[in-house]
Structure formats: C-alpha cells, structure tokens
Amino acid sequence: MSVSEEAIEVVPARRGRPGYDQQQVLEIAVQVFIEQGYDATSVASLAGRLGLTKSALYHHFESKEALLEVALEEAIGSLEGVLREPGAQSGSARERLEYVLRGAVCVLVEKLPYVTLLLRVRGNSDIERAALERRRAFDREVTALVRTAQIEGTVRADLEASVATRLLFGMVNSIVEWYRPTGAEGAAELADDVLAVALDGLRTR
Amino acid sequence: MSVSEEAIEVVPARRGRPGYDQQQVLEIAVQVFIEQGYDATSVASLAGRLGLTKSALYHHFESKEALLEVALEEAIGSLEGVLREPGAQSGSARERLEYVLRGAVCVLVEKLPYVTLLLRVRGNSDIERAALERRRAFDREVTALVRTAQIEGTVRADLEASVATRLLFGMVNSIVEWYRPTGAEGAAELADDVLAVALDGLRTR
DNA sequence: GTCTATAAAGAGATAGAC
DNA sequence: GTCTATCTCTTTATAGAC
C-alpha cells in the first residue's frame, strides 16, 4: 500500500501464454466473425482461435457484442469521415460525388475486415440497429449528392437518384466480397476501375 | 390393415390450428431467416412465427438446415437456369452477356427472398459450401462471357474481366438489399436501369 | 492476464400422446 | 398435424485460484 510499492511492478505481471492487447484481440475477433458469421461464432471458438480460454477473453472485452460494437464504430466512423473531408464539401456535385466514391473505396480497402462486418449486419440488436441507421444516413447524404449532380446536368437524370446511388454502392460494397490486398491492385487502381464503370460503363467507345 | 380401410380417410386428419404445407412453411422460414439471419434464428422462434410448436415444425422438415438447403436450391437452381436458356447460348458475347444480366435481375426479383438468403451464405456447413461452389461456377461462366466480349471488341478491355464481372454482379446482387416489389418499378425496368449504368455509366452524354 | 470449474439459459432435436 | 415433455449439447457469462 505504500508509495514505494507502486513502482515495483511497472510491466503488468503475466503468467499465461500470448498476452494480447485490446486491438490485437479485436483484429482476430473480427476476422473470425467474418469467416463464420457473427452469430455463428461462439466465444469459445473465438477464444480458441486466440489460443485463450473464454475467461481470458472476457478479461479483454465485456461481451461478445462489445467486440462487435467497437468493430462497427471503426467502419462506420471512417465512412462518415469521408463525407466530412474538404474534398467532399467543395467543387461541383459530380466532383464531390467522385471524391466520396473514391474515399469510400479507400476506406473499404483500408478497413476491409471492419467494413465487411458492417455490411453484414442485419439489425439483430440495438447496437446493430444503430450501425444500420448510420449507414442509412450516409446513403441519404450520397443520394442527395447524386440528385444535385443530376440537376447541375453532370449525371444522367433518366434514373432515380436513389436507384443510381444504390447501384453505385452495390458495386462499391461488393468489393469486400472479393478484393484481397495482394498488392498488385491497390486501392487507387480499384477506385479507378469503379469510377470507370460507374461513370462511363463497360461499352466500347 | 384391410384394403377398404385405406380409403376411409382421404383428407389427412387435423387437430391443431393452421395446417401448413411444406411450401408455406418454407416461405415463412426464409422470411424469418432473412430478417434475423439464419444462424441467429432458433427453431423455436421459427415455430413461434408460424404459430406452431417446434415439434410441429419438425413434422414438416427434417431439420433447420434442410429448410436452408431447399431454399438455396430454389435460388441457385434458378440462376443456373438462366445460363442454360437459349438466349444465353446464341448471339454475340455482348448480347449473351446482356441476356444473362437481365435474366439474373429477373431471377433476383422473382425469387427475391431465396436469392437474398443465397447471397448471405458464408460456408458454415457442407450445404452452404456446396451452394457457394455453385455460385462460384456461375461467376466463372459469366467472367468467361465478359472476356469473350472484350476479345470481340464490344466490352472495354482496360479492366480485367474478373473485376468487371464482380463489379457488375456487385451491382446486380445489391438489388436484394433494397428492392421491394412495389409494383411501381418492375423487374424489367430495374434490369433496364442496371444495364444502362453497366453499359453506359452515369455520366451525361 | 490466464486458468479451471460451473452456473443458467437456450439451442437443435426426439418421444409419444391425441 | 399438432401438442407437451424431455434429452443432450452448446451457449454466454461469472467466480475464484494462481
């Protein structure tokens, strides 16, 4: 209890094997959630993958759902961040739209596992529903951008803005289903491909 | 045991409430699987939704996974069917590609819940893995079609065929996330929109 | 920070009555 | 074709030792 005793152990005492911090636990947990599905993943299998017991895992996180919450925040927070960047705030609506699409592709690639998890959430709990609502708000902002671009005449107006936006993000979001960071095709090239198809289509000119 | 006894009861004897057949049970089950996720759906909650007990539900289907299997077959079988239709077999590669895209959109709309379920499967069991493998085979056939269209010069060749195909189907598959059969926009108009963006892009001309 | 052990609830599935 | 009751296994989570 004396002041001198406090300094004896600076590094926390350890007995068991790995010694994870919260970030490492989160990364592996998200990976397992993606492989097996969040609901199908038991805390036991999660602990097994970490080489820990359930109890040790509960030392790092309060609950299985707390892990999900942190992971979803990482994903949706980053996407929301794109809308707040200067490039998404100035210029023509089409320039801003392009900026947001590129930004979204980059976030998808940089935070691939977190965004993958976000896109699979179906609203089974308050935490999932909150994440879904923030996704919908993001969609609404982009839809407004598409609508403005249609009015300024830079985006074709024979489609509903909401349909166009959903098709766009269908394309963007599908990236999590197949893109793997091989190094060959980076986020920038991928964003170029997405923008190429989205703006000019696949037809030869 | 006599022959005459066999004819006494033609209509099956009933006691309890609803009296479902397999197709009705399947439809509602798929709906619940989509709302809650297959893994998160318990047989008890499924039975509750049907106004039945678990035991009554087990009378209709051998297991929870048997329900999934039938539902997945409905979806992937229909998609495979598109590739076998005459329109997917003759004409230029671009014509065949357009036919397959249109057909896929129509299947998505007609079998919306079944395809939704298919697209969410992650390979947690042999049945899910078999469905995934058939999806991959479907993708490979379409990718070959895109590659042929690139060679014949009707589809731009500055994207890898596999990337183009995945972006295309990212757009098509996203339909299950937002399209609801309101009657206003039918499958044909939706397919037109998809083809418009896919072939010509969003840019004004 | 990790362990063993266990609690308490819920899962999928079955038996047998009506 | 549906019910009640039950089996067995797995689930999330906790208690307490080291």
Side-chain angles (χ1 to χ4, degrees):
Chain A
M1 306 286 182
S2 70
V3 175
S4 58
E5 268 184 36
E6 286 177 2
I8 292 175
E9 272 280 356
V10 179
V11 174
R14 276 181 197 164
R15 257 194 347 131
R17 262 61 59 76
Y20 293 105
D21 64 20
Q22 286 211 1
Q23 187 60 35
Q24 290 172 305
V25 169
L26 182 66
E27 267 174 43
I28 296 177
V30 168
Q31 188 54 43
V32 179
F33 286 160
I34 290 168
E35 286 170 22
Q36 309 182 346
Y38 172 77
D39 291 300
T41 302
S42 71
V43 178
S45 78
L46 211 52
R49 180 71 155 264
L50 286 154
L52 294 178
T53 57
K54 285 193 289 177
S55 302
L57 180 52
Y58 274 107
H59 173 82
H60 293 285
F61 279 92
E62 209 182 43
S63 67
K64 183 182 162 185
E65 206 175 20
L67 275 162
L68 181 66
E69 184 169 26
V70 176
L72 294 181
E73 173 58 46
E74 178 78 16
I76 189 69
S78 299
L79 284 171
E80 289 167 345
V82 172
L83 291 177
R84 288 190 229 101
E85 289 170 14
Q89 306 279 351
S90 65
S92 72
R94 226 246 332 267
E95 284 167 345
R96 281 180 286 153
L97 179 61
E98 282 192 35
Y99 184 91
V100 169
L101 284 175
R102 255 177 225 287
V105 173
C106 289
V107 166
L108 254 70
V109 168
E110 277 162 28
K111 316 256 175 173
L112 196 58
Y114 300 99
V115 179
T116 302
L117 203 54
L118 174 68
L119 293 177
R120 292 187 186 169
V121 150
R122 311 255 66 101
N124 272 335
S125 63
D126 287 342
I127 283 168
E128 294 191 8
R129 282 185 286 274
L132 277 182
E133 182 45 48
R134 285 168 74 182
R135 270 191 67 190
R136 278 192 287 269
F138 180 88
D139 282 356
R140 280 194 296 271
E141 284 204 53
V142 180
T143 303
L145 211 46
V146 169
R147 199 173 289 118
T148 307
Q150 287 178 323
I151 293 167
E152 77 181 15
T154 50
V155 161
R156 59 195 287 172
D158 59 336
L159 281 86
E160 273 185 50
S162 59
V163 172
T165 305
R166 280 159 164 167
L167 291 177
L168 273 179
F169 271 88
M171 205 155 53
V172 170
N173 291 342
S174 77
I175 289 171
V176 305
E177 302 289 337
W178 53 270
Y179 179 78
R180 293 300 170 262
T182 48
E185 184 169 51
E189 291 89 341
L190 187 58
D192 286 342
D193 286 352
V194 170
L195 266 289
V197 177
L199 294 178
D200 296 321
L202 285 176
R203 203 191 295 274
T204 325
R205 311 223 166 266
Chain B
M1 304 286 186
S2 71
V3 175
S4 58
E5 268 183 36
E6 287 176 2
I8 292 174
E9 272 279 356
V10 178
V11 174
R14 278 182 195 161
R15 254 191 352 130
R17 262 64 56 78
Y20 294 104
D21 64 19
Q22 286 211 1
Q23 187 59 36
Q24 290 173 303
V25 169
L26 183 65
E27 267 174 43
I28 297 178
V30 168
Q31 188 54 44
V32 179
F33 287 160
I34 289 167
E35 287 171 21
Q36 308 181 348
Y38 173 76
D39 290 300
T41 302
S42 70
V43 177
S45 77
L46 210 50
R49 181 72 153 264
L50 285 154
L52 295 178
T53 56
K54 283 194 289 178
S55 302
L57 180 52
Y58 274 106
H59 173 81
H60 292 285
F61 279 92
E62 210 181 44
S63 67
K64 182 183 163 186
E65 205 175 21
L67 275 163
L68 180 66
E69 183 169 26
V70 176
L72 293 180
E73 174 58 45
E74 179 77 17
I76 189 68
S78 300
L79 284 171
E80 289 167 344
V82 172
L83 290 177
R84 287 190 229 101
E85 288 170 14
Q89 306 278 351
S90 64
S92 71
R94 225 242 337 264
E95 283 167 346
R96 282 181 284 153
L97 179 61
E98 282 191 35
Y99 184 90
V100 170
L101 284 175
R102 256 177 224 287
V105 172
C106 289
V107 167
L108 254 70
V109 168
E110 278 162 28
K111 317 258 174 173
L112 196 57
Y114 301 98
V115 179
T116 302
L117 203 54
L118 174 68
L119 293 178
R120 292 186 186 170
V121 150
R122 310 255 67 99
N124 272 334
S125 64
D126 286 342
I127 283 168
E128 294 192 9
R129 280 185 287 274
L132 278 182
E133 180 46 46
R134 285 167 74 180
R135 270 192 66 190
R136 278 192 287 269
F138 181 88
D139 282 356
R140 280 194 296 270
E141 285 204 51
V142 180
T143 304
L145 211 46
V146 169
R147 198 171 291 119
T148 307
Q150 287 179 323
I151 292 167
E152 77 182 15
T154 50
V155 161
R156 59 194 289 173
D158 59 335
L159 282 85
E160 272 184 50
S162 59
V163 172
T165 305
R166 280 159 164 168
L167 290 176
L168 273 178
F169 272 88
M171 205 155 53
V172 171
N173 291 342
S174 77
I175 289 171
V176 304
E177 303 289 336
W178 52 270
Y179 178 79
R180 294 299 168 265
T182 48
E185 182 169 54
E189 292 88 342
L190 188 58
D192 286 342
D193 286 351
V194 170
L195 266 291
V197 176
L199 293 179
D200 296 321
L202 285 176
R203 202 191 295 274
T204 324
R205 311 225 164 264

